[in-house]
Amino acid sequence: MIGNQVVEGQLYFDGCKLEELAKKYGTPLYVVSEDIIRDKCAEVKTSFLNKYPNTMAFYASKAFLTISMCKIIKEEGLGMDVVSGGELYVAIKGGINPDNIMFHGNNKTIEELKMAVTYNVGRIVVDSVDELLVLKEITEEMKKEINILFRITPNIKCNTHTYISTGQKDSKFGIPLIEEIIKEAINIAMNSKYINFKGIHFHVGSQLFDNSSHINAVKNTADLIKNIKESMDIEIEELNVGGGFGIKYIEEDDPKPLSYFIDAIMKTIYEKFNEYNLKIPRVFIEPGRWMVGEAGVTLYTIGTIKEIPEVRTYVSVDGGLPDNPRTALYTAKYSAYVPSKMNEERDKVVTIAGKCCESRDIIIWDLKVPYSIERGDILAVMSTGAYNYSMASNYNKIAKPAVVMLRNGKDRVVVRRETYKDLIALDVV
Ligand SMILES: *Cc1c(COP(=O)(O)O)cnc(C)c1O
């Protein structure tokens, strides 16, 4: 049984009793379902790779990156996006074929660019003319070829939190959709001996439930490519339409299947490129959150409960901001349960607070819980698979939780819990 299941008032995840995992490994604990991630990989294949020819999917590793995750992605035959030298290092150590690595970032350092060229990554996504000039110099110095895409900002406002919106004109990401600038970039690339210009990339934003941003971005990009062909006689081979596909965090969220986005994107590509007499490009997607978000659950132990009459009740847990900064960062919303009390009415509204010295260290502002909630209960916060472990910090010198992976009803540690000793391991005296 994959996902959530309630048996005799107890919450199970992938056939594992959450209360028992908390006892076995301690809390806070990240629990990640390998079964769900593999299901998502299967959906990528049925809805995209096997349905449309000449396509490739790259998992955006910043959502959740461990050696075990690399192994899954490799076995499933997908590629990987990285956005830093550190992510590139983990991907390589995790066995990802460099050919299947796409290197992003709005400010890659010279060392990172050299590292990518040395490893022969499949593609570098160049984010500015400035970066292109640096890369040109590096490749000439190293006498090594590299494939590039240009990330453009497709001038799209999307329906999501502003902090995770990236496709609007005023963005630190990508080359603005101004033809002169993009033509200049292409000209430089075409005149560089070691740079192979392959195509265009955009990424409109994250946690989207609506395909209109992708559709409009494809349309704007097709217009751009048409103009490039007419004025420069250059056609692109590859089009990377990014990620951003939304997941379910709370009851009101209504995520769509991947096909809802893919079919609309592909239809728009075929229509527009045919209308403009352009060669249909190889199409890439880069799902991050969608691949892992719903595969994760974080387990905490409830500690102090503080009732402020006529204001709110703070229920504190033994983690918070250091293992999940998303609520503080962009008012993210989560659902959560007391796994041992699934048969009880949830008739009390409380605020789930972390243990850090920050007022914004709250995980859920208003959560319905059983009236009997008490110190020592376990709390399971759902859909924490993306941007939790990868964003974790050691604020207040809180050690990072372990990551336990579930597969076929069995649990195993894939990242061990940090110890107090780890907290001073890098100190030099
Ligand atoms: C973060 C990111 C993604 C993945 O975004 P999700 O919303 O997690 O799917 C894809 N492409 C790029 C360039 C990104 O920066």
PDB file of all heavy atoms in Angstrom, residues 58-63 81 83 104-105 125 151 164 166 173 201-203 205-208 240 242-246 285-291 386-387, ligand 1:
ATOM      1  N   PHE A  58      14.596  15.962 -16.590  1.00  0.00           N
ATOM      2  CA  PHE A  58      15.688  16.203 -15.644  1.00  0.00           C
ATOM      3  C   PHE A  58      15.063  16.503 -14.284  1.00  0.00           C
ATOM      4  O   PHE A  58      14.280  17.441 -14.172  1.00  0.00           O
ATOM      5  CB  PHE A  58      16.538  17.398 -16.105  1.00  0.00           C
ATOM      6  CG  PHE A  58      17.250  17.159 -17.407  1.00  0.00           C
ATOM      7  CD1 PHE A  58      16.590  17.323 -18.619  1.00  0.00           C
ATOM      8  CD2 PHE A  58      18.576  16.764 -17.424  1.00  0.00           C
ATOM      9  CE1 PHE A  58      17.237  17.093 -19.825  1.00  0.00           C
ATOM     10  CE2 PHE A  58      19.237  16.537 -18.624  1.00  0.00           C
ATOM     11  CZ  PHE A  58      18.568  16.691 -19.822  1.00  0.00           C
ATOM     12  N   TYR A  59      15.415  15.714 -13.288  1.00  0.00           N
ATOM     13  CA  TYR A  59      14.910  15.968 -11.938  1.00  0.00           C
ATOM     14  C   TYR A  59      15.662  17.166 -11.352  1.00  0.00           C
ATOM     15  O   TYR A  59      16.904  17.181 -11.347  1.00  0.00           O
ATOM     16  CB  TYR A  59      15.113  14.713 -11.071  1.00  0.00           C
ATOM     17  CG  TYR A  59      14.988  14.987  -9.593  1.00  0.00           C
ATOM     18  CD1 TYR A  59      13.800  15.478  -9.062  1.00  0.00           C
ATOM     19  CD2 TYR A  59      16.056  14.770  -8.727  1.00  0.00           C
ATOM     20  CE1 TYR A  59      13.678  15.750  -7.704  1.00  0.00           C
ATOM     21  CE2 TYR A  59      15.947  15.036  -7.371  1.00  0.00           C
ATOM     22  CZ  TYR A  59      14.759  15.532  -6.869  1.00  0.00           C
ATOM     23  OH  TYR A  59      14.650  15.813  -5.528  1.00  0.00           O
ATOM     24  N   ALA A  60      14.918  18.157 -10.873  1.00  0.00           N
ATOM     25  CA  ALA A  60      15.552  19.347 -10.269  1.00  0.00           C
ATOM     26  C   ALA A  60      16.011  18.991  -8.862  1.00  0.00           C
ATOM     27  O   ALA A  60      15.233  19.019  -7.910  1.00  0.00           O
ATOM     28  CB  ALA A  60      14.572  20.522 -10.251  1.00  0.00           C
ATOM     29  N   SER A  61      17.295  18.680  -8.741  1.00  0.00           N
ATOM     30  CA  SER A  61      17.791  18.037  -7.527  1.00  0.00           C
ATOM     31  C   SER A  61      17.737  18.924  -6.302  1.00  0.00           C
ATOM     32  O   SER A  61      17.795  18.437  -5.173  1.00  0.00           O
ATOM     33  CB  SER A  61      19.235  17.572  -7.748  1.00  0.00           C
ATOM     34  OG  SER A  61      20.098  18.685  -7.861  1.00  0.00           O
ATOM     35  N   LYS A  62      17.614  20.237  -6.471  1.00  0.00           N
ATOM     36  CA  LYS A  62      17.590  21.104  -5.297  1.00  0.00           C
ATOM     37  C   LYS A  62      16.402  20.800  -4.390  1.00  0.00           C
ATOM     38  O   LYS A  62      16.417  21.154  -3.217  1.00  0.00           O
ATOM     39  CB  LYS A  62      17.604  22.579  -5.706  1.00  0.00           C
ATOM     40  CG  LYS A  62      16.338  23.092  -6.366  1.00  0.00           C
ATOM     41  CD  LYS A  62      16.491  24.586  -6.676  1.00  0.00           C
ATOM     42  CE  LYS A  62      15.206  25.250  -7.146  1.00  0.00           C
ATOM     43  NZ  LYS A  62      14.887  24.920  -8.549  1.00  0.00           N
ATOM     44  N   ALA A  63      15.365  20.144  -4.921  1.00  0.00           N
ATOM     45  CA  ALA A  63      14.200  19.811  -4.090  1.00  0.00           C
ATOM     46  C   ALA A  63      14.559  18.803  -2.995  1.00  0.00           C
ATOM     47  O   ALA A  63      14.081  18.910  -1.855  1.00  0.00           O
ATOM     48  CB  ALA A  63      13.071  19.265  -4.959  1.00  0.00           C
ATOM     49  N   ASP A  81      19.067  18.072 -12.859  1.00  0.00           N
ATOM     50  CA  ASP A  81      19.412  19.489 -12.820  1.00  0.00           C
ATOM     51  C   ASP A  81      20.234  19.787 -11.596  1.00  0.00           C
ATOM     52  O   ASP A  81      19.870  19.335 -10.515  1.00  0.00           O
ATOM     53  CB  ASP A  81      18.126  20.295 -12.562  1.00  0.00           C
ATOM     54  CG  ASP A  81      17.524  20.837 -13.803  1.00  0.00           C
ATOM     55  OD1 ASP A  81      17.802  20.315 -14.869  1.00  0.00           O
ATOM     56  OD2 ASP A  81      16.749  21.788 -13.660  1.00  0.00           O
ATOM     57  N   VAL A  83      22.335  23.205  -9.528  1.00  0.00           N
ATOM     58  CA  VAL A  83      22.443  24.663  -9.544  1.00  0.00           C
ATOM     59  C   VAL A  83      23.669  25.170  -8.785  1.00  0.00           C
ATOM     60  O   VAL A  83      23.761  26.361  -8.506  1.00  0.00           O
ATOM     61  CB  VAL A  83      21.184  25.352  -8.961  1.00  0.00           C
ATOM     62  CG1 VAL A  83      19.959  25.025  -9.778  1.00  0.00           C
ATOM     63  CG2 VAL A  83      20.969  24.962  -7.513  1.00  0.00           C
ATOM     64  N   HIS A 104      22.393  24.727 -13.922  1.00  0.00           N
ATOM     65  CA  HIS A 104      21.715  26.021 -13.861  1.00  0.00           C
ATOM     66  C   HIS A 104      22.390  26.955 -12.875  1.00  0.00           C
ATOM     67  O   HIS A 104      23.280  26.551 -12.138  1.00  0.00           O
ATOM     68  CB  HIS A 104      20.287  25.819 -13.340  1.00  0.00           C
ATOM     69  CG  HIS A 104      19.348  25.248 -14.334  1.00  0.00           C
ATOM     70  ND1 HIS A 104      18.789  26.002 -15.326  1.00  0.00           N
ATOM     71  CD2 HIS A 104      18.843  24.003 -14.473  1.00  0.00           C
ATOM     72  CE1 HIS A 104      17.982  25.228 -16.038  1.00  0.00           C
ATOM     73  NE2 HIS A 104      17.997  24.017 -15.549  1.00  0.00           N
ATOM     74  N   GLY A 105      21.851  28.163 -12.777  1.00  0.00           N
ATOM     75  CA  GLY A 105      22.272  29.105 -11.736  1.00  0.00           C
ATOM     76  C   GLY A 105      22.447  30.491 -12.303  1.00  0.00           C
ATOM     77  O   GLY A 105      22.941  30.641 -13.418  1.00  0.00           O
ATOM     78  N   VAL A 125      23.169  25.770 -18.636  1.00  0.00           N
ATOM     79  CA  VAL A 125      22.130  26.736 -18.983  1.00  0.00           C
ATOM     80  C   VAL A 125      22.660  28.120 -18.629  1.00  0.00           C
ATOM     81  O   VAL A 125      22.775  28.474 -17.454  1.00  0.00           O
ATOM     82  CB  VAL A 125      20.806  26.431 -18.249  1.00  0.00           C
ATOM     83  CG1 VAL A 125      19.730  27.431 -18.661  1.00  0.00           C
ATOM     84  CG2 VAL A 125      20.354  25.005 -18.559  1.00  0.00           C
ATOM     85  N   ARG A 151      18.895  30.530 -20.749  1.00  0.00           N
ATOM     86  CA  ARG A 151      17.677  30.708 -19.966  1.00  0.00           C
ATOM     87  C   ARG A 151      17.145  32.093 -20.261  1.00  0.00           C
ATOM     88  O   ARG A 151      17.843  33.096 -20.091  1.00  0.00           O
ATOM     89  CB  ARG A 151      17.954  30.589 -18.466  1.00  0.00           C
ATOM     90  CG  ARG A 151      16.696  30.891 -17.645  1.00  0.00           C
ATOM     91  CD  ARG A 151      16.850  30.539 -16.196  1.00  0.00           C
ATOM     92  NE  ARG A 151      15.586  30.770 -15.493  1.00  0.00           N
ATOM     93  CZ  ARG A 151      15.316  30.307 -14.281  1.00  0.00           C
ATOM     94  NH1 ARG A 151      16.213  29.595 -13.638  1.00  0.00           N
ATOM     95  NH2 ARG A 151      14.169  30.554 -13.703  1.00  0.00           N
ATOM     96  N   ILE A 164       8.155  32.538  -5.174  1.00  0.00           N
ATOM     97  CA  ILE A 164       8.546  31.402  -6.008  1.00  0.00           C
ATOM     98  C   ILE A 164       8.127  31.616  -7.466  1.00  0.00           C
ATOM     99  O   ILE A 164       7.951  30.704  -8.231  1.00  0.00           O
ATOM    100  CB  ILE A 164       8.026  30.045  -5.454  1.00  0.00           C
ATOM    101  CG1 ILE A 164       6.532  30.097  -5.118  1.00  0.00           C
ATOM    102  CG2 ILE A 164       8.819  29.628  -4.227  1.00  0.00           C
ATOM    103  CD1 ILE A 164       5.964  28.760  -4.660  1.00  0.00           C
ATOM    104  N   THR A 166       9.239  33.170 -11.058  1.00  0.00           N
ATOM    105  CA  THR A 166      10.540  33.453 -11.668  1.00  0.00           C
ATOM    106  C   THR A 166      10.452  33.929 -13.104  1.00  0.00           C
ATOM    107  O   THR A 166      11.453  34.322 -13.692  1.00  0.00           O
ATOM    108  CB  THR A 166      11.430  32.192 -11.649  1.00  0.00           C
ATOM    109  OG1 THR A 166      10.696  31.123 -12.247  1.00  0.00           O
ATOM    110  CG2 THR A 166      11.833  31.806 -10.256  1.00  0.00           C
ATOM    111  N   PHE A 173      16.606  35.881 -12.523  1.00  0.00           N
ATOM    112  CA  PHE A 173      16.889  34.701 -13.346  1.00  0.00           C
ATOM    113  C   PHE A 173      16.716  34.997 -14.822  1.00  0.00           C
ATOM    114  O   PHE A 173      15.743  35.618 -15.235  1.00  0.00           O
ATOM    115  CB  PHE A 173      15.952  33.549 -12.974  1.00  0.00           C
ATOM    116  CG  PHE A 173      16.075  33.104 -11.556  1.00  0.00           C
ATOM    117  CD1 PHE A 173      15.086  33.388 -10.637  1.00  0.00           C
ATOM    118  CD2 PHE A 173      17.183  32.388 -11.136  1.00  0.00           C
ATOM    119  CE1 PHE A 173      15.199  32.973  -9.319  1.00  0.00           C
ATOM    120  CE2 PHE A 173      17.310  31.973  -9.831  1.00  0.00           C
ATOM    121  CZ  PHE A 173      16.309  32.259  -8.915  1.00  0.00           C
ATOM    122  N   HIS A 201      15.801  27.796 -22.695  1.00  0.00           N
ATOM    123  CA  HIS A 201      15.200  27.281 -21.468  1.00  0.00           C
ATOM    124  C   HIS A 201      14.369  28.373 -20.803  1.00  0.00           C
ATOM    125  O   HIS A 201      14.742  29.545 -20.842  1.00  0.00           O
ATOM    126  CB  HIS A 201      16.299  26.847 -20.479  1.00  0.00           C
ATOM    127  CG  HIS A 201      15.797  26.685 -19.064  1.00  0.00           C
ATOM    128  ND1 HIS A 201      15.758  27.727 -18.164  1.00  0.00           N
ATOM    129  CD2 HIS A 201      15.290  25.614 -18.413  1.00  0.00           C
ATOM    130  CE1 HIS A 201      15.253  27.299 -17.013  1.00  0.00           C
ATOM    131  NE2 HIS A 201      14.961  26.018 -17.139  1.00  0.00           N
ATOM    132  N   PHE A 202      13.243  27.968 -20.212  1.00  0.00           N
ATOM    133  CA  PHE A 202      12.558  28.875 -19.281  1.00  0.00           C
ATOM    134  C   PHE A 202      12.013  28.061 -18.121  1.00  0.00           C
ATOM    135  O   PHE A 202      11.814  26.854 -18.225  1.00  0.00           O
ATOM    136  CB  PHE A 202      11.441  29.680 -19.983  1.00  0.00           C
ATOM    137  CG  PHE A 202      10.306  28.855 -20.536  1.00  0.00           C
ATOM    138  CD1 PHE A 202       9.355  28.269 -19.695  1.00  0.00           C
ATOM    139  CD2 PHE A 202      10.169  28.674 -21.912  1.00  0.00           C
ATOM    140  CE1 PHE A 202       8.309  27.511 -20.215  1.00  0.00           C
ATOM    141  CE2 PHE A 202       9.122  27.918 -22.435  1.00  0.00           C
ATOM    142  CZ  PHE A 202       8.191  27.342 -21.580  1.00  0.00           C
ATOM    143  N   HIS A 203      11.802  28.731 -17.008  1.00  0.00           N
ATOM    144  CA  HIS A 203      11.170  28.119 -15.834  1.00  0.00           C
ATOM    145  C   HIS A 203      10.303  29.221 -15.242  1.00  0.00           C
ATOM    146  O   HIS A 203      10.818  30.246 -14.820  1.00  0.00           O
ATOM    147  CB  HIS A 203      12.244  27.649 -14.836  1.00  0.00           C
ATOM    148  CG  HIS A 203      11.696  27.174 -13.532  1.00  0.00           C
ATOM    149  ND1 HIS A 203      10.881  26.065 -13.418  1.00  0.00           N
ATOM    150  CD2 HIS A 203      11.838  27.665 -12.271  1.00  0.00           C
ATOM    151  CE1 HIS A 203      10.555  25.897 -12.138  1.00  0.00           C
ATOM    152  NE2 HIS A 203      11.116  26.851 -11.429  1.00  0.00           N
ATOM    153  N   GLY A 205       7.941  29.324 -12.660  1.00  0.00           N
ATOM    154  CA  GLY A 205       7.634  29.482 -11.238  1.00  0.00           C
ATOM    155  C   GLY A 205       7.352  28.115 -10.655  1.00  0.00           C
ATOM    156  O   GLY A 205       7.548  27.106 -11.327  1.00  0.00           O
ATOM    157  N   SER A 206       6.901  28.088  -9.418  1.00  0.00           N
ATOM    158  CA  SER A 206       6.752  26.807  -8.741  1.00  0.00           C
ATOM    159  C   SER A 206       5.371  26.667  -8.118  1.00  0.00           C
ATOM    160  O   SER A 206       4.663  27.653  -7.925  1.00  0.00           O
ATOM    161  CB  SER A 206       7.829  26.699  -7.655  1.00  0.00           C
ATOM    162  OG  SER A 206       8.041  25.361  -7.305  1.00  0.00           O
ATOM    163  N   GLN A 207       5.018  25.412  -7.803  1.00  0.00           N
ATOM    164  CA  GLN A 207       3.737  25.094  -7.152  1.00  0.00           C
ATOM    165  C   GLN A 207       2.558  25.653  -7.952  1.00  0.00           C
ATOM    166  O   GLN A 207       1.680  26.330  -7.431  1.00  0.00           O
ATOM    167  CB  GLN A 207       3.768  25.595  -5.687  1.00  0.00           C
ATOM    168  CG  GLN A 207       2.559  25.280  -4.811  1.00  0.00           C
ATOM    169  CD  GLN A 207       2.257  23.781  -4.679  1.00  0.00           C
ATOM    170  OE1 GLN A 207       2.956  22.922  -5.185  1.00  0.00           O
ATOM    171  NE2 GLN A 207       1.173  23.456  -4.016  1.00  0.00           N
ATOM    172  N   LEU A 208       2.520  25.325  -9.257  1.00  0.00           N
ATOM    173  CA  LEU A 208       1.446  25.799 -10.137  1.00  0.00           C
ATOM    174  C   LEU A 208       0.362  24.731 -10.291  1.00  0.00           C
ATOM    175  O   LEU A 208       0.658  23.544 -10.412  1.00  0.00           O
ATOM    176  CB  LEU A 208       2.020  26.147 -11.514  1.00  0.00           C
ATOM    177  CG  LEU A 208       3.132  27.206 -11.506  1.00  0.00           C
ATOM    178  CD1 LEU A 208       3.763  27.326 -12.885  1.00  0.00           C
ATOM    179  CD2 LEU A 208       2.593  28.547 -11.031  1.00  0.00           C
ATOM    180  N   ASN A 240      13.696  23.688 -23.320  1.00  0.00           N
ATOM    181  CA  ASN A 240      13.522  23.206 -21.954  1.00  0.00           C
ATOM    182  C   ASN A 240      12.454  24.066 -21.284  1.00  0.00           C
ATOM    183  O   ASN A 240      12.649  25.270 -21.110  1.00  0.00           O
ATOM    184  CB  ASN A 240      14.869  23.304 -21.220  1.00  0.00           C
ATOM    185  CG  ASN A 240      14.809  22.761 -19.810  1.00  0.00           C
ATOM    186  OD1 ASN A 240      13.742  22.665 -19.213  1.00  0.00           O
ATOM    187  ND2 ASN A 240      15.951  22.416 -19.267  1.00  0.00           N
ATOM    188  N   GLY A 242      11.193  23.763 -18.207  1.00  0.00           N
ATOM    189  CA  GLY A 242      11.283  23.923 -16.755  1.00  0.00           C
ATOM    190  C   GLY A 242      10.376  22.992 -15.967  1.00  0.00           C
ATOM    191  O   GLY A 242       9.888  21.973 -16.468  1.00  0.00           O
ATOM    192  N   GLY A 243      10.157  23.367 -14.709  1.00  0.00           N
ATOM    193  CA  GLY A 243       9.311  22.564 -13.810  1.00  0.00           C
ATOM    194  C   GLY A 243       8.163  23.414 -13.304  1.00  0.00           C
ATOM    195  O   GLY A 243       7.613  24.207 -14.058  1.00  0.00           O
ATOM    196  N   GLY A 244       7.829  23.245 -12.029  1.00  0.00           N
ATOM    197  CA  GLY A 244       6.796  24.094 -11.439  1.00  0.00           C
ATOM    198  C   GLY A 244       5.473  23.411 -11.166  1.00  0.00           C
ATOM    199  O   GLY A 244       4.538  24.046 -10.680  1.00  0.00           O
ATOM    200  N   PHE A 245       5.383  22.124 -11.478  1.00  0.00           N
ATOM    201  CA  PHE A 245       4.105  21.416 -11.347  1.00  0.00           C
ATOM    202  C   PHE A 245       3.745  21.245  -9.868  1.00  0.00           C
ATOM    203  O   PHE A 245       4.554  20.781  -9.075  1.00  0.00           O
ATOM    204  CB  PHE A 245       4.188  20.073 -12.076  1.00  0.00           C
ATOM    205  CG  PHE A 245       4.913  20.194 -13.404  1.00  0.00           C
ATOM    206  CD1 PHE A 245       6.061  19.461 -13.675  1.00  0.00           C
ATOM    207  CD2 PHE A 245       4.466  21.099 -14.372  1.00  0.00           C
ATOM    208  CE1 PHE A 245       6.753  19.618 -14.879  1.00  0.00           C
ATOM    209  CE2 PHE A 245       5.143  21.262 -15.573  1.00  0.00           C
ATOM    210  CZ  PHE A 245       6.299  20.516 -15.824  1.00  0.00           C
ATOM    211  N   GLY A 246       2.513  21.629  -9.521  1.00  0.00           N
ATOM    212  CA  GLY A 246       2.116  21.742  -8.116  1.00  0.00           C
ATOM    213  C   GLY A 246       1.743  20.416  -7.466  1.00  0.00           C
ATOM    214  O   GLY A 246       1.433  19.431  -8.131  1.00  0.00           O
ATOM    215  N   ILE A 285      11.747  18.615 -19.666  1.00  0.00           N
ATOM    216  CA  ILE A 285      11.078  19.161 -18.477  1.00  0.00           C
ATOM    217  C   ILE A 285      12.006  18.971 -17.278  1.00  0.00           C
ATOM    218  O   ILE A 285      12.915  18.134 -17.309  1.00  0.00           O
ATOM    219  CB  ILE A 285       9.704  18.515 -18.180  1.00  0.00           C
ATOM    220  CG1 ILE A 285       9.836  16.996 -17.956  1.00  0.00           C
ATOM    221  CG2 ILE A 285       8.711  18.831 -19.279  1.00  0.00           C
ATOM    222  CD1 ILE A 285       8.594  16.339 -17.376  1.00  0.00           C
ATOM    223  N   GLU A 286      11.716  19.740 -16.211  1.00  0.00           N
ATOM    224  CA  GLU A 286      12.558  19.702 -15.006  1.00  0.00           C
ATOM    225  C   GLU A 286      11.715  19.713 -13.736  1.00  0.00           C
ATOM    226  O   GLU A 286      11.752  20.686 -12.982  1.00  0.00           O
ATOM    227  CB  GLU A 286      13.453  20.943 -14.946  1.00  0.00           C
ATOM    228  CG  GLU A 286      14.268  21.227 -16.162  1.00  0.00           C
ATOM    229  CD  GLU A 286      14.958  22.583 -16.069  1.00  0.00           C
ATOM    230  OE1 GLU A 286      14.329  23.581 -15.685  1.00  0.00           O
ATOM    231  OE2 GLU A 286      16.149  22.624 -16.406  1.00  0.00           O
ATOM    232  N   PRO A 287      10.973  18.666 -13.461  1.00  0.00           N
ATOM    233  CA  PRO A 287      10.167  18.666 -12.238  1.00  0.00           C
ATOM    234  C   PRO A 287      11.040  18.475 -11.001  1.00  0.00           C
ATOM    235  O   PRO A 287      11.968  17.672 -11.002  1.00  0.00           O
ATOM    236  CB  PRO A 287       9.231  17.469 -12.432  1.00  0.00           C
ATOM    237  CG  PRO A 287       9.948  16.565 -13.379  1.00  0.00           C
ATOM    238  CD  PRO A 287      10.830  17.429 -14.247  1.00  0.00           C
ATOM    239  N   GLY A 288      10.761  19.242  -9.970  1.00  0.00           N
ATOM    240  CA  GLY A 288      11.469  19.094  -8.700  1.00  0.00           C
ATOM    241  C   GLY A 288      10.465  18.718  -7.618  1.00  0.00           C
ATOM    242  O   GLY A 288      10.316  17.552  -7.267  1.00  0.00           O
ATOM    243  N   ARG A 289       9.735  19.725  -7.126  1.00  0.00           N
ATOM    244  CA  ARG A 289       8.751  19.522  -6.069  1.00  0.00           C
ATOM    245  C   ARG A 289       7.792  18.349  -6.371  1.00  0.00           C
ATOM    246  O   ARG A 289       7.515  17.525  -5.513  1.00  0.00           O
ATOM    247  CB  ARG A 289       7.921  20.811  -5.924  1.00  0.00           C
ATOM    248  CG  ARG A 289       6.910  20.790  -4.779  1.00  0.00           C
ATOM    249  CD  ARG A 289       5.951  21.978  -4.902  1.00  0.00           C
ATOM    250  NE  ARG A 289       6.638  23.218  -5.137  1.00  0.00           N
ATOM    251  CZ  ARG A 289       7.155  23.988  -4.181  1.00  0.00           C
ATOM    252  NH1 ARG A 289       7.021  23.639  -2.929  1.00  0.00           N
ATOM    253  NH2 ARG A 289       7.777  25.112  -4.494  1.00  0.00           N
ATOM    254  N   TRP A 290       7.324  18.308  -7.622  1.00  0.00           N
ATOM    255  CA  TRP A 290       6.326  17.310  -8.007  1.00  0.00           C
ATOM    256  C   TRP A 290       6.849  15.876  -7.848  1.00  0.00           C
ATOM    257  O   TRP A 290       6.087  14.958  -7.563  1.00  0.00           O
ATOM    258  CB  TRP A 290       5.895  17.581  -9.469  1.00  0.00           C
ATOM    259  CG  TRP A 290       4.840  16.666  -9.963  1.00  0.00           C
ATOM    260  CD1 TRP A 290       3.492  16.806  -9.835  1.00  0.00           C
ATOM    261  CD2 TRP A 290       5.046  15.433 -10.674  1.00  0.00           C
ATOM    262  NE1 TRP A 290       2.847  15.745 -10.404  1.00  0.00           N
ATOM    263  CE2 TRP A 290       3.772  14.892 -10.931  1.00  0.00           C
ATOM    264  CE3 TRP A 290       6.170  14.738 -11.114  1.00  0.00           C
ATOM    265  CZ2 TRP A 290       3.604  13.685 -11.613  1.00  0.00           C
ATOM    266  CZ3 TRP A 290       6.002  13.540 -11.782  1.00  0.00           C
ATOM    267  CH2 TRP A 290       4.736  13.027 -12.022  1.00  0.00           C
ATOM    268  N   MET A 291       8.153  15.702  -8.015  1.00  0.00           N
ATOM    269  CA  MET A 291       8.738  14.354  -7.949  1.00  0.00           C
ATOM    270  C   MET A 291       8.825  13.830  -6.513  1.00  0.00           C
ATOM    271  O   MET A 291       8.772  12.621  -6.283  1.00  0.00           O
ATOM    272  CB  MET A 291      10.158  14.374  -8.529  1.00  0.00           C
ATOM    273  CG  MET A 291      10.236  14.705  -9.994  1.00  0.00           C
ATOM    274  SD  MET A 291      10.020  13.270 -11.030  1.00  0.00           S
ATOM    275  CE  MET A 291      11.452  12.323 -10.563  1.00  0.00           C
ATOM    276  N   ALA A 386       9.874  17.903  -0.459  1.00  0.00           N
ATOM    277  CA  ALA A 386      10.610  18.858  -1.291  1.00  0.00           C
ATOM    278  C   ALA A 386      10.974  20.094  -0.495  1.00  0.00           C
ATOM    279  O   ALA A 386      10.166  20.605   0.283  1.00  0.00           O
ATOM    280  CB  ALA A 386       9.776  19.265  -2.507  1.00  0.00           C
ATOM    281  N   TYR A 387      12.180  20.601  -0.690  1.00  0.00           N
ATOM    282  CA  TYR A 387      12.616  21.873  -0.100  1.00  0.00           C
ATOM    283  C   TYR A 387      12.514  21.881   1.421  1.00  0.00           C
ATOM    284  O   TYR A 387      12.223  22.910   2.026  1.00  0.00           O
ATOM    285  CB  TYR A 387      11.851  23.048  -0.719  1.00  0.00           C
ATOM    286  CG  TYR A 387      11.948  23.081  -2.231  1.00  0.00           C
ATOM    287  CD1 TYR A 387      10.843  22.816  -3.046  1.00  0.00           C
ATOM    288  CD2 TYR A 387      13.168  23.336  -2.853  1.00  0.00           C
ATOM    289  CE1 TYR A 387      10.948  22.818  -4.430  1.00  0.00           C
ATOM    290  CE2 TYR A 387      13.283  23.344  -4.233  1.00  0.00           C
ATOM    291  CZ  TYR A 387      12.166  23.088  -5.016  1.00  0.00           C
ATOM    292  OH  TYR A 387      12.277  23.085  -6.387  1.00  0.00           O
TER     293      TYR A 387
HETATM  294  C1  LIG B   1      13.754  24.979  -9.052  1.00  0.00           C
HETATM  295  C2  LIG B   1      13.810  24.766 -10.492  1.00  0.00           C
HETATM  296  C3  LIG B   1      13.047  23.766 -11.079  1.00  0.00           C
HETATM  297  C4  LIG B   1      12.089  22.904 -10.310  1.00  0.00           C
HETATM  298  O1  LIG B   1      11.016  23.618  -9.812  1.00  0.00           O
HETATM  299  P1  LIG B   1       9.813  22.832  -9.099  1.00  0.00           P
HETATM  300  O2  LIG B   1       8.811  23.876  -8.841  1.00  0.00           O
HETATM  301  O3  LIG B   1      10.362  22.244  -7.857  1.00  0.00           O
HETATM  302  O4  LIG B   1       9.339  21.800 -10.060  1.00  0.00           O
HETATM  303  C5  LIG B   1      13.182  23.567 -12.433  1.00  0.00           C
HETATM  304  N1  LIG B   1      14.019  24.323 -13.181  1.00  0.00           N
HETATM  305  C6  LIG B   1      14.765  25.300 -12.638  1.00  0.00           C
HETATM  306  C7  LIG B   1      15.673  26.072 -13.492  1.00  0.00           C
HETATM  307  C8  LIG B   1      14.682  25.558 -11.284  1.00  0.00           C
HETATM  308  O5  LIG B   1      15.417  26.536 -10.761  1.00  0.00           O
END
